[in-house]
Amino acid sequence: MGLCIMIINTEKFRDEIKQRKEYVERCLLEFLPPADSYPALIHEAMHYAVFNGGKRLRPIMVFEGAVLGGADKEEVITAACALELIHTYSLVHDDLPAMDNDEMRRGKPTCHIVYGEANAILTGDALLTAAFYLLAENLKAPKVKAENLVRAIRVVAAAAGSQGMIGGQVLDLQSEGLALDFSTLRKLHSLKTGQLFRAALTTGAILSGMKDSGIAALDKYAASFGLAFQITDDILDVAGNQDLIGKPIGSDAKNHKSTYVSLLGMEKSYRLARVAVESCQEALGYFGPEADFLRQLALHTLNRKN
Ligand code: GRG
């Protein structure tokens, strides 16, 4: 599928994303413990961290994986919320003084600035714990099979853990100040950023009962999507608009991090992102027009502003 054929309906696609994001936010509000529930401090901090203007890409992927497998999105609501909570916990901890020491995220002071460092650590812990509670809650969905749910929980735990996102974060922290080679940078980001996208899309598909060949195609798509997303993240950190990103640009340079841009330069980085988006489209060859949303999402990522 040629890239330009898919560029056509940008306006409509943005509206579609907006509606899906609003749906995710309604689900999150329903399934997070209320902000004023006892003990209110931790629940208020969890709400502060979760309702921060994020794009909600990972839950959107859970829903999309499920729908492509023939399930109703209502069947995977709590799993979709779980992926966003894991993502949010990772951001709260990533912003801590001991990690990236960032004071702003999405135009608002970070969790530890508002609630203090100890409470921000606990907020991340509580979000991660709540995520696995909500994953298990997905057993209440009438059509989800217990064996598929256990498989999905295993996938999510592996993606978030020491051989997934946390492993990537450790490599990232270890690499500060070092000039990484391309393959190390690629490995680091496939763990830190790619694994959770893969878990999100395949979780929805697994819960829907999709065949393994379809799940493998979605896994491939999400791995390439993660790469494209990370490269554009690096590009935005250099050339993005601070107001749209919601934090000062140049944080990678501030933290002496190797990035695709520092390693390859702007032009080659953009070209690599484009190749990754083409790989996304190839992976979707397994599906017909029902996967057009994912095709457009990959293209949209290439031109994203935040
Ligand atoms: C602390 C365990 C632990 C992990 C941290 C994900 C991560 C690992 C750190 C986030 C830092 C970062 C800039 C990662 C690169 C790409 C990325 C995951 C960006 C944030 O994701 P978005 O843009 O966030 O989907 P929103 O704000 O839209 O929810």
Side-chain angles (χ1 to χ4, degrees), residues 55 58 87 89-90 94 106 169 192 229-230 233:
K55 295 182 287 297
R58 295 147 192 88
H87 168 60
Y89 122 77
S90 81
D94 186 62
R106 299 229 157 273
Q169 179 75 350
K192 185 176 142 183
F229 188 85
Q230 182 60 54
D233 209 66

Side-chain angles (χ1 to χ4, degrees), residues 57-59 61-62 83 195-205:
L57 285 175
R58 295 147 192 88
M61 284 193 174
V62 176
L83 266 294
Q195 287 273 353
L196 208 58
F197 282 125
R198 291 170 65 187
L201 196 54
T202 57
T203 286

Side-chain angles (χ1 to χ4, degrees), residues 48-49 51-55 91 95 102-111 113-114 241-249 306:
Y48 181 82
F51 296 102
N52 78 338
K55 295 182 287 297
L91 299 181
D95 289 335
D102 280 323
E103 297 188 349
M104 295 295 283
R105 178 167 292 277
R106 299 229 157 273
K108 281 173 33 178
T110 45
C111 193
I113 296 293
V114 178
N241 177 323
Q242 193 160 309
D243 293 337
L244 295 178
I245 301 171
K247 62 174 188 176
I249 58 170
N306 71 11

Side-chain angles (χ1 to χ4, degrees), residues 23 26-27 31 63 66-67 71-80 137-138 140-144:
Y23 178 68
R26 288 197 296 277
C27 297
F31 288 100
F63 286 126
V67 170
D72 292 336
K73 59 185 187 318
E74 288 73 20
E75 290 281 312
V76 298
I77 288 180
T78 52
E137 277 286 284
N138 218 117
K140 290 182 180 161
K143 293 184 190 151
V144 167

Side-chain angles (χ1 to χ4, degrees), residues 26-34 77-78 81 85 130 133-134 137:
R26 288 197 296 277
C27 297
L28 286 165
L29 200 55
E30 185 176 344
F31 288 100
L32 263 187
I77 288 180
T78 52
C81 290
L85 298 195
Y133 176 83
L134 286 180
E137 277 286 284

